[in-house]
Each structure stands twice: as C-alpha cells, then as structure tokens.
Amino acid sequence: MDESTSVELIDVERQRALAEREVMLELQRATLPVGLPVLPDLSVAAEYRPADLPRSAGGDWFDVLSLPDGTLALIVGDVVGSGPLAAAVMGQLRAITAERLQRGNGLDEVLHALDAFATGLSGARGSTVCIAIVDRAVRSVQYAVRGHPAPLVAAADGATRYLRDSAGPPLALRGTDHRLATATLSPGDTLILYSDGAVEQPGRTMAQGMTDLSGRVSEAIRSQEPDERALAALVCSAVSDLAASELRHDDVSVVAVTAMSAPPTVMTMSVPATADRLGPVRRQLSAWLSGLGATEDDLLALELSVIEAVTNSVEHAFPGPPGTVRVNATLSHDGTVVVVVSDDGRWKPPQRDPGFRGRGLIMMREFSDEIRLDPSASGTTVTLAKTLHRPVSLDGAAPPSTRYIEQTDLQIDLQAGKEGVTMSVSGAVDSSSVDQLHASLLDAGRGSLPLTIVLDAVTLLTSAGLRTLYEHASHLLTSGRRICLVAEEGTPARDVLAVSGLDRIVDVVGR
C-alpha cells in the first residue's frame, strides 16, 4: 500500500468516526431534558459536554424531575462504553428511572428496577448512577450511589464536603446491594451531581480528580460571589470548564441545585393606563423573569400575554381620562408564574368576527397555559399562568439568554433598490410604537416595487402591530403590489405570525 492510499484510508476512517459521533450526539441530545424546572425555593442548572475523542462520547445521562409529592429528583448516570449503542442504553435507563420515580416508587424500588434491567441487557451491565431526592419542605436529601462518584455540597461561602455515606456496586454487578443515605442542605448550599468524566483523566487518580473538583467549585464561588439564584449555573460552568481544560476522554454531565434562603420577590407595579407605559411594564417584567432564569420562549410568551392584557386596559377599559392598571407576578411552588392584570374600567366585549382586530385574547390564550378573564362593574381582572423552564447548557455553550432589556425600542430602516424596497424592523412593536410602524409602512408603500419587511430582529409583536401589518398588506395586495414578510423559524415574530394566521394571507419566508 503506497503512502497516498494510506493517507486516504486514514482520512476515510476519521470521517467515519466523526459521522458516528454526530449520530451519537443527536441521540444524546434527543434524550436529555429539554428544560429544567424553575422553582421559588430551589435554583436548578445542568450542563453536558461530550468527549473530545470521536469514539469516546456517548453514555452519560442526567435528569431533573419534579415529582408528584412535591420533591425534586436529580439523577446522573453513566453507561459502560460509548457511541450510538451506549446512547441507546442510556435512553432506556433514563426512561425506567423517570417512570418509576413519577409513579411514586422509593429509591430502593427504583434501584432494583434498574438492576433488573441491567441484568438482562449486556450493554447496561456495569452502568453507574447517582440519584438524590430533595425534600423541599425540610431541605433534606435522600441519595443513593451505585458505582458513581459521591455527590458534592458547596456552601454559600465556598466550603465543600462530599456525601460519602451511600455506596454500592455498579448496576447488575455483585448482586443488588446498596445503601441509602440522607443529608441536610442549609440555605445557600448547592448540591452537585456529576459524571466520572469530571474527575477521571489519564495519569490522575479519582481521588486527585475529586480534590481538584471541590477546589475549582470553591474557588468559583469565592471569587465571584454570585447572586444566590445564579449559584447552580456557576457551579455547573466551573465543573465543565475544569474538564474542558484538558483533552476530554469521557463525557461530562453535571447537575446542581441550590437551596434558596428566600423565595423571589413578587413583581408589583401600578401605572397609568396609557400606551407610553407599555415599555416600562415590559422591561420590568422581562427583568424579573430573567432573574428567575426563564427560557427565551417562556419570557416571550409571558411578555406578549401581559402586554396584550395591559393594552386591552389601555384601549378599552376607560372611555374618559385614563385610569390605572396594576400588574402583579408571582412564582408558585410548582414553578408556575401567575400574573394578574387588573383595572377599574370595563372592557368592550369581543366582536364575533373581529377580522384582524381583537386578536389580543386569542394570542393570550395561545401563549399562556391558562387564562381567566373576570369582568365586573368595578373593573376587570385577567389572570395568566405559565409554567417556567430553565435551559440546559450543551457542549459548553451558555444557555439561550433572555431578552436584552435595553434593546426593546423600535427601530426601522428603509432601503430602496432596483429589485424593490426592504424595510427592516427591530425592537418591540406594541401600542406605544405602532404609530411609528404605521408611518414607515406608508413611506414604504409608495410606488410599485415589491416590498419586503424583515422581522427577524423584532423582540415583541403584539396584536396592535399585527393589525397594522394586516391593514397595509391588504391595501398593497389589493392594488397588485407584491409584499413579503421575512421571519426566521423560532423568532418571536414568526411564532406570532403563525398563531395570528397572517402567514396565510401574506407570504412569510425565512432568509
């Protein structure tokens, strides 16, 4: 075999290994939690980094489950081997664990079920797992370790301790012996579960790795002194970064939960029922939700629903001088945000066929888990509810951040060329800024060239903005003018356009 042929074969083998790694990572990501609970008394975070070596990744798994009895379960496990087969076995172990815990089984029963499964499947034999169940009422932790590194607890001052009172062999090895143990979390304590990839590296003992891990966590807390609700995410990042400082021969998964000293504050504000107050309401709500660590999708949905409710009070509740609208938001015990918007006026009843008016209530119902409207002679109260989730950090990337609060003012740029007119819109479109959108659409609507409206950078699109877009689009289409809306999948504007039905009237495309 000549040298060129050898190089080609090596390259083919490398490409095959990389392709296999991508398949495995897709399997892995598909079975990891899509979101973590956001709770008033606990702050939860998780991070996953695959191994650097193409055929070493796969097998780590973790989960965070809010259980029917109000407790919270944290699980980290590791399957022997790597690649797509290990990822498939991992998915089965995760499913069994979740099903048993959600059914109300205790830790003993869950571990016996995992042992039984691993005994009957060679690919699962020797897998390791650590499960911790946090009793939120008394901050106690019951935990079990099967062939896995011991959990770590970090105090608010950076002091650390390992929970070593539970031990047992890997699944399906040397019988099913295991020992359950308990611990207590003080306010500000962070409980950390992690996979062995965080503490095992060639040339270093696990004891050395665990010493390095506790030292890195302690240093991170003491050097940054973060807000208590940010502790869990900080710890996860510190563990992940420690593993990333060297070539990773194994996956790294880490889950952390911080016992909060006090629940989050209630967001309360009272403003005049005028359109110019929508911006302050939006910014204060966004800041409050961002502080909880809500996902971008949850923030957008609540922001949109609340602004629609406040807009209805502004536009319909007070026929004379503007009254007052009140907004109160709380995070309930199960992680549901409840927002109450109330006024002292009376809403107009919705029209039977509103066309593109009256879409606010439709959008509130679509973007909330629950909505209740209580009109009375003395005022109207709208109650909105939505369960929050926190994103998981994958591959060392920061979780998707919430809206940039300072970038909410509407900005519009018009560009005319031989092919047509392009109107780029960014920021928030609501009742306070819709006149600016209307004026720009009038300018863009002059002439006969095709009009493209780019909405990718729109952070909020309310029914007032939809109505304006619909009215101008209908006029242009009637006069034979071509119009197209550009909004990428997953952007706030695209989601709202799909819910509103405007995408069935006007062409909506991605870039």
Side-chain angles (χ1 to χ4, degrees), residues 341-364:
V341 180
S342 60
D343 60 52
D344 300 321
R346 301 189 67 179
W347 282 15
K348 298 176 183 177
Q351 302 173 21
R352 181 169 298 179
D353 181 16
F356 248 83
R357 297 190 65 85
R359 295 267 163 163
L361 285 173
I362 297 173
M363 293 168 63
M364 279 189 277

Side-chain angles (χ1 to χ4, degrees), residues 44 62-63 114 148 162 182 199 249 254 308 364 402 405 442 480 487 492 495:
V44 186
F62 65 89
D63 215 341
L114 291 174
H148 208 82
Y162 280 104
T182 59
V199 292
H249 292 257
V254 56
E308 288 294 345
M364 279 189 277
T402 49
I405 300 172
L442 286 176
D495 293 343

Side-chain angles (χ1 to χ4, degrees), residues 228-296:
E228 198 174 60
R229 192 161 284 276
L231 268 173
L234 172 68
V235 165
C236 286
S237 180
V239 174
S240 179
D241 289 346
L242 173 64
S245 63
E246 302 174 349
L247 182 70
R248 292 190 305 278
H249 292 257
D250 198 359
D251 297 347
V252 176
S253 296
V254 56
V255 177
V257 59
T258 302
M260 305 297 293
S261 301
T265 58
V266 176
M267 193 208 84
T268 302
M269 63 186 310
S270 180
V271 298
T274 55
D276 63 330
R277 305 312 299 168
L278 295 177
V281 171
R282 184 176 63 247
R283 285 187 283 272
Q284 186 166 336
L285 177 65
S286 179
W288 186 77
L289 291 170
S290 298
L292 297 177
T295 64
E296 175 72 7

Side-chain angles (χ1 to χ4, degrees), residues 124-125 180 193 233 254 271 368 406 465:
R125 189 183 299 270
L180 305 185
L193 276 60
V254 56
V271 298
S368 302
E406 70 275 14

